[in-house]
């Protein structure tokens, strides 16, 4: 009989209330959200205080936690009102705030005592003495910089009892964590105050310039334009390594991503981590887990800085070797077992004759072909073309509310 491992928290992104509920239903132990101010995702859905209270109630009823990212770098005047903001978060029951700016940390500590503070990855913590410094300042947890490798995590864990959180999946910044000003230069949008234009992901031409007036493109006809973009982080192949470090929280990036992304990624890591922690000695990696991630991946996948300094192989510079095969098509809102009829809310156009896949928590999924569709009035239709329309389809296997349906591209 294997020895059970300490099971780390799975921390999922939640750009809005719907994503929060989906993340927790699909296995997240905690979610991180943004408020209306002080965060780095100004274009995410974000939460007002009423939505936060609904999300907190939903999470706490299911033994999950809610953290608020307030991780902007403040300039003069940016911190105005933050004391009241933090007090409100504390009073409505937020479990912790994720902060990077020492000014906001100090304000939170003095104005909202009792509200736990986690240090954001934006602060680039890369060694145990840094964690010990923040422990003395009253912080419970530090989100490590993405540049920390596996051996460094083990060393940090040995030398401090501060809670450690690290990213295991999602987009990687081409710059050092929390230090990019490319967006500021290219579009006058401050990346460290929530306005990143993701200039590194733009497509560029490259020129050999003989002089100021003469330039020759180095990109040949048919070649892809140049990009500074990094591929995505994915640690699904390395669950034993990352869990055995004793890390406290494993973080998934993506507050701007869809419920298709959130549900799929949380589902996969939940399964892998539970499988490993229940019996480490007999654990084996299942390639189907990675294939599941590819159904929602947008870029190549790599292990970031965990095992080596990323090279050109971890940069997007040519056509992708894999293309996402599925599009999120609908969410199940009801199921009648007597008729085997599922009621769906449409999210992308789908029609009769298309191959689809239903999936739910626990990596339950099955494939079938849509043989017929009925609208809300019981009329047979060939397609479900309108966003959020309610339709019925007959399913080959039982489904539950909040199962999702993909269709093949």
């Amino acid at each position: 009989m294997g020895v059970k491992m300490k099971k780390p928290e799975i921390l999922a992104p939640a750009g809005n209330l719907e994503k929060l509920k989906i993340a927790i239903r699909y296995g997240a132990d905690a979610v991180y959200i943004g408020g209306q101010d002080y965060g780095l995702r100004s274009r995410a859905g974000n939460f007002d205080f009423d939505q936060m209270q609904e999300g907190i109630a939903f999470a706490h009823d299911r033994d999950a936690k809610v953290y608020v990212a307030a991780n902007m770098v403040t300039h003069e005047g940016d911190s105005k009102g933050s004391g009241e903001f933090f007090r409100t978060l504390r009073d409505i029951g937020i479990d912790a705030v994720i902060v990077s700016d020492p000014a906001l940390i100090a304000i939170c500590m003095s104005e909202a005592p009792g509200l736990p503070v986690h240090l954001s990855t934006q602060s680039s913590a890369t060694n145990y003495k840094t964690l010990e410094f923040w422990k003395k300042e009253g912080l419970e947890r530090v989100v490590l910089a993405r540049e920390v490798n596996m051996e460094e995590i083990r060393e940090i864990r040995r030398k401090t009892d501060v809670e450690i959180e690290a990213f295991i999946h999602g987009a990687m910044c081409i710059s050092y964590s929390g230090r990019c000003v490319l967006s500021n230069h290219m579009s006058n949008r401050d990346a460290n105050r929530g306005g990143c234009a993701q200039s590194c992901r733009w497509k560029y031409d490259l020129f050999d310039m003989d002089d100021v007036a003469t330039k020759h493109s180095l990109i040949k006809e048919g070649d892809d334009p140049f990009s500074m973009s990094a591929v995505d982080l994915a640690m699904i192949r390395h669950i034993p390594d990352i869990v055995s470090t004793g890390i406290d929280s494993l973080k998934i990036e993506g507050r701007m991503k869809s419920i298709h992304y959130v549900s799929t990624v949380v589902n996969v890591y939940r399964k892998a981590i539970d499988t490993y922690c229940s019996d480490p000695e007999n654990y084996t990696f299942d390639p189907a887990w990675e294939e599941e991630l590819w159904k929602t991946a947008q870029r190549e996948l790599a292990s970031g800085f965990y095992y080596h300094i990323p090279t050109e192989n971890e940069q997007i510079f040519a056509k992708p070797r894999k293309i996402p095969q599925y599009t999120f098509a609908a969410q199940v809102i009801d199921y009648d077992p007597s008729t085997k009829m599922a009621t769906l809310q449409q999210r992308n156009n789908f029609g009769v004759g298309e191959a689809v896949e239903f999936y739910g928590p626990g990596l339950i999924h099955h494939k079938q072909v849509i043989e017929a569709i009925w609208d809300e009035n019981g009329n047979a239709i060939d397609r479900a073309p309108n966003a959020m329309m309610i339709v019925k389809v007959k399913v080959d296997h039982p489904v539950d509310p909040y199962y999702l349906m993909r269709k093949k591209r």
Side-chain angles (χ1 to χ4, degrees):
M1 186 71 178
V3 178
K4 287 189 176 182
M5 294 285 296
K6 169 190 171 183
K7 189 179 293 187
E9 168 187 271
I10 295 178
L11 177 55
N16 58 34
L17 198 53
E18 180 186 37
K19 295 173 188 177
L20 179 151
K21 293 179 179 180
I22 284 290
I24 293 170
R25 290 184 190 281
Y26 277 74
D29 300 298
V31 295
Y32 61 101
I33 67 175
Q36 299 293 319
D37 301 290
Y38 314 111
L40 284 187
R41 291 292 182 268
S42 59
R43 289 174 293 148
N46 295 326
F47 288 67
D48 60 30
F49 293 129
D50 288 339
Q51 291 169 329
M52 285 186 189
Q53 286 183 297
E54 183 177 343
I56 292 165
F58 182 90
H60 289 180
D61 283 347
R62 293 158 179 81
D63 296 322
K65 296 180 178 180
V66 180
Y67 309 139
V68 170
N71 52 348
M72 73 182 301
V73 175
T74 58
H75 289 230
E76 290 299 333
D78 287 343
S79 61
K80 183 178 179 181
S82 58
E84 182 179 356
F85 177 75
F86 289 130
R87 281 194 300 275
T88 303
L89 296 185
R90 178 196 63 189
D91 294 344
I92 65 176
I94 286 295
D95 295 287
V97 287
I98 307 167
V99 191
S100 64
D101 194 307
L104 287 180
I105 291 172
I107 291 168
C108 186
M109 291 291 186
S110 63
E111 298 293 322
L115 176 61
V117 180
H118 298 172
L119 188 73
S120 169
T121 192
Q122 296 298 115
S123 291
S124 302
T126 55
N127 62 80
Y128 83 92
K129 289 187 177 181
T130 296
L131 273 68
E132 285 291 290
F133 170 84
W134 287 112
K135 177 183 177 181
K136 292 175 183 176
E137 295 299 312
L139 274 66
E140 295 183 359
R141 178 185 294 186
V142 169
V143 187
L144 297 178
R146 288 177 170 89
E147 294 75 27
V148 177
N149 66 40
M150 195 69 73
E151 285 308 309
E152 289 172 329
I153 293 177
R154 295 183 190 279
E155 183 74 4
I156 291 169
R157 179 72 294 159
R158 282 194 293 268
K159 294 184 174 180
T160 181
D161 61 358
V162 178
E163 289 186 10
I164 298 173
E165 179 179 309
F167 282 91
I168 57 164
H169 194 92
M172 293 281 285
C173 184
I174 200 68
S175 181
Y176 208 81
S177 291
R179 299 292 181 266
C180 184
V181 292
L182 189 63
S183 174
N184 304 55
H185 176 72
M186 301 294 292
S187 63
N188 200 30
R189 285 168 49 176
D190 193 339
N192 296 309
R193 284 196 282 177
C196 183
Q198 296 193 334
S199 306
C200 61
R201 299 202 185 279
W202 298 356
K203 300 295 186 180
Y204 295 90
D205 206 340
L206 294 179
F207 297 96
D208 177 15
M209 299 184 68
D210 296 333
D211 52 52
V212 175
T214 307
K215 61 182 181 180
H216 305 284
S217 175
L218 297 178
I219 296 180
K220 299 176 182 178
E221 186 175 351
D223 287 350
D224 279 357
F226 175 75
S227 170
M228 291 173 273
S229 181
V231 303
D232 282 359
L233 173 66
M235 288 295 287
I236 191 62
R237 288 174 175 256
H238 310 286
I239 292 302
D241 274 4
I242 194 73
V243 172
S244 64
T245 63
I247 203 163
D248 297 280
S249 182
L250 301 176
K251 190 170 194 172
I252 297 164
E253 183 274 339
R255 276 194 287 141
M256 307 266 302
K257 301 286 182 64
S258 69
I259 64 170
H260 180 213
Y261 169 89
V262 171
S263 60
T264 300
V265 176
V266 171
N267 218 1
V268 168
Y269 281 97
R270 177 81 279 158
K271 182 69 171 180
I273 291 167
D274 286 353
T275 301
Y276 175 65
C277 290
S278 65
D279 190 0
E281 295 172 9
N282 295 305
Y283 172 85
T284 55
F285 168 72
D286 186 345
W289 297 339
E290 189 170 68
E291 286 304 311
E292 189 77 3
L293 291 177
W294 272 112
K295 293 174 183 177
T296 189
Q298 295 180 338
R299 292 178 280 271
E300 298 286 333
L301 303 175
S303 58
F305 287 82
Y306 280 110
Y307 297 101
H308 63 266
I309 300 296
T311 67
E312 68 276 7
N313 293 323
E314 285 80 38
Q315 176 137 350
I316 298 173
F317 62 92
K319 286 183 170 58
R321 291 186 290 275
K322 287 210 176 192
I323 302 294
Q325 297 175 329
Y326 289 82
T327 298
F328 174 36
Q331 178 175 287
V332 177
I333 58 177
D334 197 14
Y335 172 67
D336 182 350
S338 65
T339 61
K340 297 185 178 180
M341 196 73 72
T343 304
L344 309 179
Q345 183 185 65
Q346 189 262 36
R347 297 302 181 91
N348 269 298
N349 191 322
F350 67 92
V352 173
E354 290 193 83
V356 298
E357 179 183 61
F358 289 91
Y359 70 96
L363 278 187
I364 296 170
H365 56 275
H366 68 267
K367 298 178 181 180
Q368 69 172 74
V369 173
I370 297 292
E371 295 181 352
I373 305 173
W374 295 268
D375 65 17
E376 282 187 283
N377 299 317
N379 300 311
I381 55 177
D382 291 331
R383 301 202 67 78
N386 301 322
M388 308 299 280
M389 70 183 295
I390 304 300
V391 299
K392 292 181 183 292
V393 301
K394 187 163 283 191
V395 292
D396 296 343
H397 300 272
V399 293
D400 289 328
Y402 306 105
Y403 275 33
L404 303 182
M405 187 186 87
R406 307 175 174 119
K407 71 169 186 175
K408 281 196 168 184
R409 288 179 182 270

